[in-house]
Amino acid sequence: MHIRQEITERHTLAVIVDNEPGILARIAGLFTARGYNIESLTVSEVTADKAVSRITIVTSASAAMLEQIVAQLDRLVPVHTVTDLTAEGAHVERELALVKVAGSGDHRIEALRLADVYRARVVDATTSSFVFEVTGGREKIDKFVELMGEVGLVEVARTGIVAIARGRDAA
């Protein structure tokens, strides 16, 4: 008997849905019931009348699993469209993080220097700590958090990935 291990890849999905109570729970439940993992999940209203929301989901799946995920999402009644931004090609992904760093003396100066290099903004400062706001790709934020760990990292809060296709067409 041969056990074939399927290759999993990271995919970013844009799901346009009616903004109604319970839709997020139904989508999360769909992933849970089938044993799929959600690495990142963000939701926001995208129309002026607040009737439609965009859910951005980042997951790792094999090609077969991803096909099932998309098909299952498409079957949900309040879902308008499901777009695999990764498969569609060029797209922009960003995340926001708030990073709290405490320290004094040289550690404080180094935190400010690193923040400048990573284009992080100081959004709160006390005599003993800073809160930085940093935006960018996942790798940039991971590296910024890692470096802040060496100068007094206290806490991190991250938004999750938001993504949009490049070019004229909507996802």
Side-chain angles (χ1 to χ4, degrees):
M1 174 162 84
H2 291 73
I3 299 175
R4 192 177 80 184
Q5 186 162 353
E6 295 187 64
I7 298 171
T8 61
E9 294 180 334
R10 182 177 171 274
H11 288 267
T12 303
L13 306 175
V15 185
I16 306 299
V17 299
D18 288 334
N19 187 12
E20 62 181 45
I23 184 59
L24 185 58
R26 289 177 63 196
I27 288 174
L30 182 147
F31 276 77
T32 302
R34 287 154 185 81
Y36 304 143
N37 188 40
I38 296 174
E39 294 175 18
S40 174
L41 176 72
T42 59
V43 183
S44 180
E45 296 165 339
V46 292
T47 57
D49 63 1
K50 300 181 180 189
V52 176
S53 291
R54 179 186 182 106
I55 301 173
T56 304
I57 301 170
V58 178
T59 188
S60 289
S62 66
M65 285 172 53
L66 187 68
E67 192 175 308
Q68 284 184 330
I69 290 169
V70 170
Q72 293 291 327
L73 288 171
D74 266 335
R75 286 190 194 113
L76 293 177
V77 172
V79 173
H80 295 265
T81 62
V82 179
T83 305
D84 180 358
L85 294 172
T86 306
E88 293 287 319
H91 64 282
V92 178
E93 290 187 5
R94 290 292 178 265
E95 184 175 7
L96 177 135
L98 297 175
V99 180
K100 186 185 294 184
V101 179
S104 59
D106 289 342
H107 286 272
R108 193 168 172 87
I109 293 166
E110 183 63 9
L112 286 169
R113 189 189 69 74
L114 288 168
D116 186 49
V117 169
Y118 280 82
R119 293 186 178 103
R121 291 184 334 125
V122 176
V123 293
D124 184 60
T126 67
T127 56
S128 61
S129 69
F130 291 110
V131 175
F132 297 105
E133 173 189 294
V134 61
T135 59
R138 185 177 60 164
E139 296 80 16
K140 174 185 174 182
I141 293 176
D142 288 345
K143 189 63 178 175
F144 182 73
V145 169
E146 177 186 327
L147 291 170
M148 287 298 163
E150 298 175 20
V151 294
L153 179 68
V154 174
E155 186 177 8
V156 178
R158 295 175 78 153
T159 60
I161 301 290
V162 293
I164 196 163
R166 297 188 71 192
R168 292 179 57 125
D169 299 329

